[in-house]
Amino acid sequence: MYRAQQYCRSRTLFIHYAIVLVLTRYCSAFCSLEPVLRPSRWISNRSKSLTLLNTIAWTPRPSKTSPRLSMAVGKTGGKLIETVEEYTSIVLEMESQKPVMVFFTAPWCGPCRLSIPVVKDVMKQFAGQIEVVEVCTDDLPEVASDAGVVSIPTIQMYAKDELLDTIVGCVAKSVLAASVEKVLEETLSRYGASDSRS
């Protein structure tokens, strides 16, 4: 009985050390290990691995001081909007003469994940005719509230800083493509051929 208990303890210690070793090697690129002061009650003679695990804290490494890239790409392949100023200049002040499709999404949203391939396909189908941008509502909640987004996924179509169409929820490719065609025709009739089809 005693030998069985010793075997179980040594096996448990081995497993704990193996876990620490794997975590240390795997996370060393992303995290740094810093000792954390713990009360002496955490120190136990019967399990050195618990002491080791309890005295290690995973903290993110400090970010490098390099400037952020201005052309971040979202999951759809469109430009990822990272600031309110970017949203204002691209969507509302219309840097581009093409209509802009704004895809409001969040990483935790299941229907948003289902909409990503649909937006990618429509972006490929209308390449050169529309601009596609992506807004994470978790990062920019003020942009979403100013745009009137109350649920996600929401896709809005803008032309010349004017909201022309809004689609809420997960939709089929044909529905989104029809909406884009309608916006392109409306843009063509309002602003002329040189602006929307260039």
Side-chain angles (χ1 to χ4, degrees):
M1 180 81 166
Y2 180 71
R3 286 186 183 187
Q5 287 175 344
Q6 278 186 329
Y7 175 76
C8 289
R9 282 187 192 146
S10 64
R11 186 171 176 105
T12 304
L13 282 174
F14 175 75
I15 291 172
H16 285 290
Y17 283 127
I19 290 171
V20 170
L21 181 66
V22 168
L23 288 175
T24 304
R25 287 189 179 174
Y26 181 74
C27 295
S28 64
F30 308 107
C31 303
S32 62
L33 292 174
E34 295 179 4
V36 174
L37 297 176
R38 301 277 188 188
S40 59
R41 62 186 161 95
W42 286 101
I43 299 173
S44 170
N45 289 332
R46 63 169 227 249
S47 175
K48 292 180 182 176
S49 62
L50 282 178
T51 304
L52 181 62
L53 288 174
N54 286 328
T55 57
I56 293 176
W58 297 96
T59 57
R61 283 190 176 170
S63 62
K64 295 180 180 171
T65 57
S66 61
R68 296 182 82 172
L69 295 175
S70 61
M71 291 298 292
V73 178
K75 291 182 180 180
T76 59
K79 184 177 183 336
L80 180 65
I81 302 292
E82 296 178 322
T83 64
V84 177
E85 292 79 22
E86 271 186 303
Y87 178 80
T88 304
S89 66
I90 293 173
V91 178
L92 301 180
E93 294 174 359
M94 296 299 290
E95 278 182 355
S96 171
Q97 296 298 319
K98 302 171 189 172
V100 179
M101 177 193 297
V102 184
F103 179 52
F104 291 93
T105 183
W108 49 264
C109 172
C112 297
R113 286 188 221 126
L114 294 174
S115 298
I116 288 172
V118 173
V119 173
K120 278 184 182 179
D121 290 344
V122 169
M123 188 174 78
K124 287 177 187 173
Q125 181 179 345
F126 293 98
Q129 297 177 12
I130 62 169
E131 296 285 331
V132 178
V133 297
E134 190 174 322
V135 177
C136 178
T137 56
D138 288 349
D139 296 340
L140 297 171
E142 61 276 5
V143 169
S145 64
D146 289 347
V149 174
V150 292
S151 68
I152 52 175
T154 296
I155 299 170
Q156 293 183 339
M157 296 292 298
Y158 288 86
K160 298 286 184 183
D161 76 3
E162 183 181 351
L163 178 62
L164 298 180
D165 197 9
T166 300
I167 299 172
V168 179
C170 193
V171 294
K173 179 184 172 186
S174 59
V175 174
L176 186 57
S179 173
V180 171
E181 286 176 0
K182 182 180 88 171
V183 167
L184 286 172
E185 288 173 9
E186 196 169 332
T187 306
L188 181 64
S189 66
R190 284 187 188 185
Y191 307 110
S194 63
D195 286 347
S196 66
R197 299 283 180 177
S198 59

